[in-house]
Amino acid sequence: MTAHPKICPETGELLFFGYSSIPPYLTYHRVDASGQLVQSTEITVGGPTMMHDFVVSRHHSVFMDLPAVFDMELAMSGGMPIRWSDDYPARFGVMPRDGVDADVQWFDIEPCYVFHTLNAYDDGDEVVMHGCRIKELWRDNADIGDPATATDDSSPLMWEWRLDRASGAVSERQLDEQPSEFPRVPDSRVGLTSRYGYTMSAVFEGTGELIKYDLDTDTRTSHVFPEGQTPGEAVFVPAEGGTNEDDGYVMAYVYDRGTDTSHLTILDASNMAADPLAQVMLPRRIPTGFHGSWIAD
Ligand SMILES: [Fe+2]
């Protein structure tokens, strides 16, 4: 299984998938709230696509069959075994969460790659999803994230897709011009409408930033860190007794290049630009770029 299972906040189900460079390329699974594996279903995709993440709504699971594909020749040469393919159609597949392969409705989209989705929700006949979209990656072995080879085309940008199950139509749009990645919504909003989404700016030099998107108003605010400090993935932790979706805390590990130290920063989610509420200095440096998670006791 991959590193991005989804836990449905309403049913307690764990929804996840695994992918492979040899058939079956994609297998979808559900574990019920009691921990029993209740479904494993092979899903037909166009080939050995690299599928890092997927997304769920209240009623649907959405697979991302995209043109970053496994290449045996590259693998045998000992290099990065994934390459961009101009011949591989880019598609999103929408399936009822308890559906099977034949139930998947595929939507052709503009070619892109998405490592990480923000969230999705059902809106009438539409499944609306957000994610950090890269126009293309790993063409000519260019390494995403490497300042020496990165191009504008490999910058992840917040994007919206609306997949209309009735008409089969797709509409998509860019929400922001600032690159960012590691998108998260509150765990309680997975698969449901979420007003706010959090990302970290994909800045590898200079200052780092944690961004808060307001999807209702198409605006954003952010917390800009001091020069040389780079945050990791932001995790939202609800405040006890909170009523608004952003009543709570945004927490992230921050690496400070100047001192080669790391700390945990705790921001007020409803006031991202303000000084941190707290900083917890850590006895060990934590490398940048890792995912985050919060487990309440
Ligand atoms: Fe990931």
Side-chain angles (χ1 to χ4, degrees):
M1 64 184 287
T2 73
H4 292 293
K6 310 299 177 196
I7 298 174
C8 175
E10 295 185 309
T11 67
E13 284 176 294
L14 179 78
L15 306 138
F16 62 102
F17 68 91
Y19 74 95
S20 173
S21 59
I22 56 173
Y25 296 124
L26 174 62
T27 309
Y28 168 73
H29 309 273
R30 278 189 307 127
V31 168
D32 69 16
S34 72
Q36 296 299 310
L37 181 67
V38 294
Q39 181 179 5
S40 290
T41 303
E42 188 179 329
I43 305 294
T44 304
V45 289
T49 180
M50 177 186 68
M51 195 176 297
H52 188 82
D53 193 3
F54 80 140
V55 72
V56 300
S57 65
R58 177 177 275 152
H59 299 298
H60 298 94
S61 294
V62 184
F63 305 107
M64 301 189 292
D65 186 15
L66 300 174
V69 294
F70 182 82
D71 185 310
M72 183 60 80
E73 280 187 25
L74 287 176
M76 296 300 284
S77 72
M80 160 69 79
I82 312 287
R83 67 174 174 83
W84 183 260
S85 171
D86 288 319
D87 303 321
Y88 193 99
R91 310 185 301 169
F92 286 162
V94 176
M95 185 183 80
R97 283 183 8 184
D98 60 355
V100 295
D101 191 28
D103 299 322
V104 181
Q105 182 179 6
W106 289 102
F107 295 81
D108 290 326
I109 60 166
E110 289 296 314
C112 69
Y113 192 76
V114 179
F115 276 101
H116 298 119
T117 58
L118 175 69
N119 200 17
Y121 60 92
D122 295 306
D123 184 9
D125 288 332
E126 291 185 321
V127 175
V128 183
M129 57 182 284
H130 294 91
C132 295
R133 177 190 190 266
I134 299 167
K135 191 173 179 184
E136 64 176 52
L137 80 164
W138 294 331
R139 183 188 292 280
D140 303 326
N141 289 324
D143 184 5
I144 180 174
D146 179 349
T149 57
T151 67
D152 287 346
D153 283 349
S154 62
S155 294
L157 301 171
M158 183 57 69
W159 213 268
E160 178 185 271
W161 295 266
R162 302 186 78 96
L163 313 173
D164 189 324
R165 294 181 297 108
S167 69
V170 179
S171 62
E172 53 180 282
R173 67 187 181 109
Q174 179 180 327
L175 296 192
D176 195 3
E177 293 184 346
Q178 177 167 341
S180 70
E181 246 287 3
F182 297 106
R184 288 290 289 267
V185 292
D187 291 344
S188 62
R189 304 309 302 169
V190 168
L192 309 172
T193 53
S194 48
R195 178 168 181 177
Y196 302 112
Y198 304 90
T199 62
M200 63 158 281
S201 66
V203 173
F204 298 93
E205 302 288 335
T207 58
E209 196 168 342
L210 289 179
I211 297 171
K212 175 190 180 186
Y213 287 98
D214 184 334
L215 299 174
D216 281 3
T217 60
D218 264 357
T219 57
R220 65 171 162 88
T221 54
S222 70
H223 184 87
V224 180
F225 289 85
E227 178 76 24
Q229 293 191 5
T230 304
E233 178 170 305
V235 177
F236 176 83
V237 179
E240 283 186 23
T243 52
N244 295 324
E245 188 186 304
D246 60 351
D247 282 342
Y249 311 96
V250 169
M251 311 204 314
Y253 291 129
V254 178
Y255 173 59
D256 188 322
R257 284 189 293 278
T259 58
D260 195 26
T261 60
S262 297
H263 64 270
L264 176 72
T265 193
I266 303 175
L267 307 177
D268 179 350
S270 66
N271 187 9
M272 290 287 287
D275 288 341
L277 297 173
Q279 293 176 315
V280 182
M281 306 312 292
L282 301 173
R284 295 283 184 276
R285 180 180 78 89
I286 295 180
T288 54
F290 284 81
H291 285 297
S293 195
W294 166 260
I295 300 171
D297 63 11

